[in-house]
Amino acid sequence: MKKLILGLSAICLISFTSCKENAAKKIDEDNLAQAAERDAVASKFPVIEFDKTEHDFGEIEAKTAVETVFSYKNTGEAPLVITDIKSSCGCTVPKDWSREPLAPGDTGQFTVKFNGSGTNKVSKTVTVTANTEKGTETVRITAFVKPDPNKTAATAVQKN
C-alpha cells in the first residue's frame, strides 16, 4: 500500500512540475489565422431547395407505374453533395440523381417511380441524404390507387 501511495505521489509531482511553460506563448499566429478561416468555411452549408416537396399523382389504376421528377437548387454557400436517396418502401424507386458536387446556385433533379401498389389513398416518403445542415431532406408522393378491376371480378366469381 505504501508503494502505491508513493508511486501516485511521484506521478503527481512529475505532472505538476513539467507543465511550467505558458501555453499561450506556444500559439502560432499563422495557425490561428488558418483555424479561423477553416471554421468560417465549415459553418457554411449547402441548402437544398425543391421546386415541390409533394407530388400527387391523382387517381391511378392499380399496378400502373407512374413517375415524377423532383427538381432542386443549391441555395447555400457550399457545394451540395447528395450521397443517397431512399424511399419508405420498395414500391417507390428514386433514380437518376447526380453524385457529383452541385455548386451554389446550380440545379439538379431526380426521378421517383411508383409502381401503383396499394389501395385507396397511398402516401410514400423519399429521403434525400446530403451534406446539408440537417443531413436529410424529405419529399413525398401521394396517389389514390383504384382497385384492380380484374382482381375485383375474380373475387366476385369466387364468392358465387
Side-chain angles (χ1 to χ4, degrees):
M1 185 69 173
K2 288 181 183 180
K3 289 181 182 179
L4 181 65
I5 294 174
L6 185 60
L8 287 175
S9 299
I11 290 173
C12 290
L13 182 64
I14 291 171
S15 65
F16 287 128
T17 59
S18 66
C19 297
K20 288 184 178 181
E21 289 186 50
N22 186 355
K25 290 181 182 177
K26 293 183 178 181
I27 296 176
D28 184 10
E29 292 300 320
D30 292 335
N31 290 343
L32 189 60
Q34 288 176 352
E37 183 179 323
R38 181 195 66 222
D39 291 345
V41 170
S43 66
K44 295 179 181 176
F45 288 98
V47 177
I48 189 167
E49 191 174 292
F50 292 98
D51 64 336
K52 59 185 176 185
T53 56
E54 186 168 331
H55 178 80
D56 187 0
F57 289 111
E59 274 192 19
I60 62 171
E61 295 289 330
K63 306 296 181 205
T64 302
V66 290
E67 61 181 46
T68 187
V69 175
F70 285 94
S71 296
Y72 54 90
K73 182 176 184 176
N74 180 3
T75 59
E77 299 179 21
L80 172 70
V81 179
I82 295 179
T83 56
D84 198 16
I85 302 179
K86 289 187 178 181
S87 66
S88 57
C89 84
C91 62
T92 307
V93 181
K95 58 183 182 177
D96 302 332
W97 76 89
S98 173
R99 285 147 176 90
E100 296 299 317
L102 187 68
D106 286 351
T107 60
Q109 63 184 24
F110 62 92
T111 305
V112 175
K113 184 175 183 178
F114 173 59
N115 70 3
S117 65
T119 57
N120 299 326
K121 186 72 171 177
V122 177
S123 179
K124 305 295 177 185
T125 303
V126 177
T127 304
V128 178
T129 305
N131 62 333
T132 59
E133 192 168 9
K134 274 183 16 182
T136 59
E137 308 293 330
T138 58
V139 293
R140 183 180 312 277
I141 61 165
T142 58
F144 185 86
V145 181
K146 296 190 288 187
D148 186 356
N150 297 330
K151 189 174 181 181
T152 307
T155 305
V157 170
Q158 286 179 355
K159 287 183 180 180
N160 292 333

